[in-house]
Amino acid sequence: MNASDLTAGFNRGVRIAGTGSAVPDRVLSNHDLAKMMDTSDEWIQQRTGIRERRICDPEKGEGTLWLSEQAAALALEDAGLTGADVDLVIVATVTMEMTCPSTAARLAGKLGATPAGAFDITAACCGFMYALNLADSLIRVGRANRILIVGCDCMSSIIDYDDRSVSILFGDAAGSAVLEAVDDPTRGSVYQSLQADGRGWPSLYIPREASQIAAGDEDNPIKLGNLRMNGREVYKFAVTRFQRAIKDAFEKTGLEPDEFGAFICHQSNARIIESAVEKLGLPDEKVYVNIDRYGNSSAGSVGLCLDQMRKAGRIDESKPTMLVAFGGGMTWASSVWRH
Ligand code: ACO
């Protein structure tokens, strides 16, 4: 199916006007973790591909809002715009500092994006993808002309560093993009999926109270208010769903792996990405991997990759880009983006 068939019914499209990203300066390496808990650089690298991750320093005021602001300001600057030029601000996060007001409302206030609408969405590691697909749709139907999206998680604020099973995976980061309307409907997200299966929630969750602990997870020593994960379940789910989401995008668009200019995958575990590359025949050199340096930054990951690839000139804009993620919920989402 060609791009005009996929976007029939729309009379406008979307372009990425600018991107930005931010990570804290503080590095937490595998060697640092090995001094804090019973683990090793070798174990972590072999199982996950992670060498180090960045974590916020709350004493310096670093956190979700701070990271979001850095990334969003860079995205606006890249687009040659100011906050006043956007109609809507969407922040995807599971680490909002307050549930009211939203991170997006506070961010919009800081950026001078008034009276733009502002709200947060929660789709765990799929957050940036959910924001991207939603913003693309709102612009296509004419409800907005320019939308600032941010995927940001300060995972270190919900990690129990006394536990070795979850803490080694995550880092803090934000990725942002400014999306704007263009006349050509074949630009932007020409195919997208947004999906979830809430029955799998106990595999990855943050209970606030003891009554929320999932059956069978009562003996888990991770403290309340922190992320709990059934690593093996998530791994099984991720390998299957991630590959299915990519395959669906190939089938629905009729595009082959080598017709894409770049693959931007959520960075959860290098082995999960390697398995997709191998099983689906993805061109290795077009699949970006930065998990070695940043770990899994949840909603920050896809936007961070997008910005780093764009700025490094690693996105061939003459071809579509595939973006894909999965995460807590369980959720999964994809987008085939024509630049
Ligand atoms: N260091 C050393 N040993 C460890 C560590 C550690 N950090 N963590 C666990 N182990 C031990 C376990 O205790 C276990 O020991 P045992 O055999 O004596 O019981 C052994 O290592 C194997 O543990 P498993 O949990 O089976 O290890 P596995 O091979 O499954 O790897 C991992 C664990 C890396 C977490 C893997 O399951 C994984 O990547 N899962 C997917 C996680 C993921 O992608 N999460 C993000 C989802 S996205 C989102 O929305 C947040």
Side-chain angles (χ1 to χ4, degrees):
M1 200 176 272
N2 64 34
S4 350
D5 292 334
L6 288 163
T7 53
F10 294 112
N11 54 22
R12 46 194 223 159
V14 184
R15 79 176 193 104
I16 297 172
T19 58
S21 62
V23 294
D25 288 337
R26 192 205 260 183
V27 175
L28 183 66
S29 70
N30 292 348
H31 297 290
D32 296 330
L33 286 171
K35 288 179 202 146
M36 298 156 62
M37 60 187 71
D38 182 13
T39 190
S40 67
D41 176 51
E42 192 193 1
W43 192 96
I44 301 172
Q45 286 215 46
Q46 257 178 18
R47 305 275 172 137
T48 70
I50 302 169
R51 277 190 292 117
E52 59 186 41
R53 67 285 294 137
R54 302 295 185 92
I55 61 163
C56 284
D57 182 349
E59 289 188 2
K60 289 191 190 156
E62 297 175 357
T64 298
L65 181 62
W66 176 80
L67 275 174
S68 298
E69 189 184 356
Q70 314 297 309
L74 290 169
L76 286 168
E77 187 188 316
D78 189 36
L81 300 169
T82 69
D85 298 315
V86 302
D87 315 316
L88 189 61
V89 177
I90 305 175
V91 176
T93 185
V94 293
T95 59
M96 55 285 280
E97 285 143 16
M98 298 185 221
T99 46
C100 179
S102 65
T103 313
R106 292 170 75 203
L107 175 65
K110 280 178 170 283
L111 298 171
T114 311
F119 60 91
D120 290 357
I121 57 173
T122 295
C125 298
C126 279
F128 188 85
M129 294 302 308
Y130 268 55
L132 180 77
N133 288 353
L134 175 63
D136 173 274
S137 302
L138 288 169
I139 292 173
R140 273 179 194 282
V141 299
R143 293 283 187 219
N145 290 318
R146 251 190 225 120
I147 303 182
L148 173 72
I149 62 167
V150 179
C152 178
D153 272 316
C154 175
M155 296 304 284
S156 59
S157 66
I158 52 160
I159 292 295
D160 180 348
Y161 285 101
D162 287 334
D163 165 85
R164 67 177 184 176
S165 66
V166 180
S167 59
I168 54 136
L169 290 170
F170 294 95
D172 303 342
S176 176
V178 179
L179 306 176
E180 75 179 4
V182 289
D183 290 336
D184 179 359
T186 67
R187 294 182 66 187
S189 180
V190 295
Y191 163 81
Q192 59 173 255
S193 67
L194 281 184
Q195 298 185 295
D197 183 347
R199 291 170 300 182
W201 73 267
S203 295
L204 202 59
Y205 72 116
I206 309 166
R208 302 282 172 208
E209 297 169 18
S211 63
Q212 295 164 342
I213 291 175
D217 197 28
E218 296 83 357
D219 295 335
N220 189 334
I222 292 181
K223 295 183 211 62
L224 285 174
N226 291 298
L227 184 69
R228 290 165 176 240
M229 181 181 75
N230 181 334
R232 282 182 199 183
E233 279 305 309
V234 175
Y235 194 88
K236 275 192 276 173
F237 162 85
V239 167
T240 322
R241 280 294 170 200
F242 189 56
Q243 292 180 17
R244 186 69 250 167
I246 298 173
K247 260 196 205 157
D248 282 349
F250 289 150
E251 282 165 20
K252 297 278 170 37
T253 59
L255 293 164
E256 302 284 337
D258 60 6
E259 291 180 273
F260 285 82
F263 290 84
I264 302 183
C265 305
H266 168 52
Q267 308 286 305
S268 59
N269 185 323
R271 288 191 298 162
I272 294 173
I273 300 175
E274 279 157 19
S275 160
V277 167
E278 195 183 307
K279 293 262 169 51
L280 303 174
L282 309 184
D284 210 6
E285 70 288 355
K286 292 184 183 173
V287 182
Y288 190 60
V289 175
N290 68 8
I291 191 169
D292 51 325
R293 286 163 289 148
Y294 304 105
N296 177 347
S297 55
S298 185
S301 121
V302 172
L304 175 67
C305 292
L306 171 67
D307 182 52
Q308 290 186 338
M309 283 188 89
R310 230 174 134 255
K311 303 268 165 76
R314 287 192 55 182
I315 299 184
D316 175 356
E317 295 199 348
S318 68
K319 294 178 174 173
T321 294
M322 165 104 65
L323 300 106
V324 60
F326 62 88
M330 305 303 286
T331 51
W332 60 102
S334 65
S335 195
V336 173
W337 190 277
R338 282 191 73 247
H339 296 275

